[in-house]
């Protein structure tokens, strides 16, 4: 009896240690709360080995056979898990049970070639909202089966072997299972078997069964796709918690991504604001200011450099626009092209515009730029586009050194056509920027 207790204690400690080190999420991965049974494997097989004897926790039906003989037992089963907490299994059990009555000098030895039972197995850990782990599974089962046995009676040195008999028996099992992966369990159990005929060679009373114990340990393997967890290891609460954690992680990742995106936009905005800074207040951003830190109120050109001082002399300066000047302006008008629907000047127009800028700088002329469009599109769009194109030409001339204060840019949209808008050629003629030099 002492050896039996020691064996049981060491076996339980070993399996508890394995279960503690094997805790993971593999028994719930890939499943959803209230998910269909197709998310799981439902069939399993188990193989167990252990010890058989006539003792039990309550010491009944021992017939005075207090000298217990411990023998090896073995079993295997196939189970269909119907729900996370309940399954039906068919179990085979074999081995030998023996015991002695030291006071009478008698004993028995019963061989069990086979026994087959159908049991219902209830898994406690898969139904309790408090036991929501998905690793350690207390269970209990109760069944009904048929057993074949052959008993040998011992009286001193004499032995008498009875005929083999087949009888009904009831197996009742309690134990722990330790889920170590999606489809593998360690199994540690204590099974009482109630037999309705003379299992130990002694004829029983009407309501007095024979009892023997099977203490066992083994492994249960789920059948089916390895990618799916086993339904018998699926605790609904653990599945719910895991699903909640995944949703939380997804929301957290989305939040972090939005924060990172917001940080990038903030950095970009800071860079743009820095590009537009004008420390000396002359109207030219630092990035393009070739003469920074000009005194407040100083008139500057397009590059931010001070304009030449005008001497206050009573002197009439006559500005004469020559035919050559007019030719340069007409050529610039003729060669001026923009990107379609935009105010961006095409590079082929730069050369003629450079010559206009040179005249403005050399002769200090003033220039009026008038942007026009055809009547295609809304009035609001055309007014804005004509204004932007005139401003774009002004900006280019200022970038080449022309005096911004002497250039006026105005947009008239489609209000001043010079040709009919009913034809493509007419509309092309109406899309223009006019230069007036004075």
């Amino acid at each position: 009896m002492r050896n039996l207790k020691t064996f049981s204690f060491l076996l339980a400690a070993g399996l508890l240690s394995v279960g503690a080190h094997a805790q993971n999420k593999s028994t719930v991965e890939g499943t959803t709360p209230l998910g269909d049974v197709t998310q799981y494997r439902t069939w399993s097989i188990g193989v167990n080995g252990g010890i058989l004897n006539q003792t039990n926790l309550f010491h009944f039906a021992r017939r005075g056979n207090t000298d217990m003989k411990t023998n090896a037992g073995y079993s295997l089963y196939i189970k269909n898990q119907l729900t996370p907490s309940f399954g039906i299994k068919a179990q085979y059990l074999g081995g030998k049970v023996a015991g002695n009555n030291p006071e009478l000098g008698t004993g028995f030895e019963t061989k069990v070639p086979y026994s087959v039972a159908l049991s219902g197995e209830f898994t406690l850990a898969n139904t309790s909202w408090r036991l929501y782990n998905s690793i350690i599974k207390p269970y209990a089962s109760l069944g009904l089966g048929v057993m074949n046995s052959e008993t040998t009676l011992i009286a001193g040195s004499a032995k008498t072997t009875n005929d083999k008999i087949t009888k009904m028996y009831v197996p009742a099992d309690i134990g722990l299972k330790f889920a170590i992966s999606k489809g593998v369990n360690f199994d540690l159990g204590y099974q009482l078997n109630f037999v309705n005929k003379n299992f130990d060679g002694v004829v029983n009373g009407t309501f007095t069964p024979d009892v023997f114990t099977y203490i066992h340990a083994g492994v249960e393997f789920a059948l089916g796709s390895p990618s799916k967890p086993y339904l018998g290891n699926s605790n609904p609460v653990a599945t719910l918690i895991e699903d909640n954690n995944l949703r939380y992680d997804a929301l957290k990742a989305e939040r972090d991504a939005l924060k990172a995106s917001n940080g990038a936009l903030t950095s970009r905005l800071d860079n743009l604001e820095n590009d537009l800074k004008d420390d000396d207040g002359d109207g030219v951003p630092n990035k393009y200011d070739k003469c920074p830190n000009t005194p407040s109120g100083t008139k500057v050109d397009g590059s931010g450099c001070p304009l030449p001082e005008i001497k206050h002399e009573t002197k009439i300066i006559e500005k004469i626009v020559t035919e050559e000047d007019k030719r340069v302006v007409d050529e610039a008008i003729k060669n001026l092209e923009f990107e379609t629907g935009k105010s961006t000047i095409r590079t082929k127009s730069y050369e003629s515009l450079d010559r206009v800028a040179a005249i403005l700088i050399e002769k200090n002329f003033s220039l009026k730029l008038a942007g026009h469009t055809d009547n295609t599109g809304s009035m609001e769009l055309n007014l804005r586009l004509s204004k932007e194109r005139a401003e774009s030409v002004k900006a280019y001339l200022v970038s080449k050194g022309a005096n911004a204060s002497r250039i006026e840019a105005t947009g008239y949209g489609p209000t001043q056509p010079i040709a009919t808008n009913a034809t493509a050629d007419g509309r092309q003629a109406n899309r223009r920027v006019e230069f007036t030099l004075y």
Side-chain angles (χ1 to χ4, degrees), residues 35-53:
D36 190 81
V37 72
T38 56
Q39 295 180 354
Y40 303 90
R41 288 179 278 174
T42 56
W43 286 91
S44 65
I45 58 173
V47 179
N48 291 288
I51 53 177
L52 292 167
N53 60 40

Side-chain angles (χ1 to χ4, degrees), residues 37-44 80-81 181-184 221-233:
V37 72
T38 56
Q39 295 180 354
Y40 303 90
R41 288 179 278 174
T42 56
W43 286 91
S44 65
N80 183 14
Q81 195 72 30
S181 70
K182 286 184 178 180
V184 180
F221 299 95
L223 303 176
S225 172
S227 63
K228 296 181 179 181
Y230 175 46
L231 184 59
N233 290 345

Side-chain angles (χ1 to χ4, degrees), residues 280-283 291 293-301 304-309:
D280 56 10
D282 60 1
C291 300
N293 303 318
T294 54
S296 177
T298 303
K299 294 183 178 181
V300 298
D301 59 19
C305 293
L307 292 170
E309 293 185 9

Side-chain angles (χ1 to χ4, degrees), residues 170-240:
V170 174
D173 214 343
I174 59 173
L176 295 172
K177 290 186 180 179
F178 303 87
I180 62 170
S181 70
K182 286 184 178 180
V184 180
N185 290 332
F186 277 112
D187 185 358
L188 175 63
Y190 180 89
Q191 181 175 314
L192 279 178
N193 298 278
F194 300 87
V195 188
N196 74 337
K197 286 187 179 181
N198 56 333
F199 180 77
D200 58 1
V202 178
V203 178
N204 305 332
T206 304
F207 300 105
T208 306
D210 286 331
V211 181
F212 70 92
T213 297
Y214 175 44
I215 301 174
H216 57 84
V219 185
E220 179 182 26
F221 299 95
L223 303 176
S225 172
S227 63
K228 296 181 179 181
Y230 175 46
L231 184 59
N233 290 345
S234 173
N235 182 299
V237 181
T239 303
L240 183 63

Side-chain angles (χ1 to χ4, degrees), residues 260-279:
S261 177
N262 184 61
L265 290 174
T266 300
S267 176
R268 184 179 176 186
L269 180 61
D270 290 342
N271 290 335
L272 289 174
E273 289 181 349
N274 188 62
D275 287 345
L276 295 174
K277 285 183 67 176
D278 180 16
D279 291 335

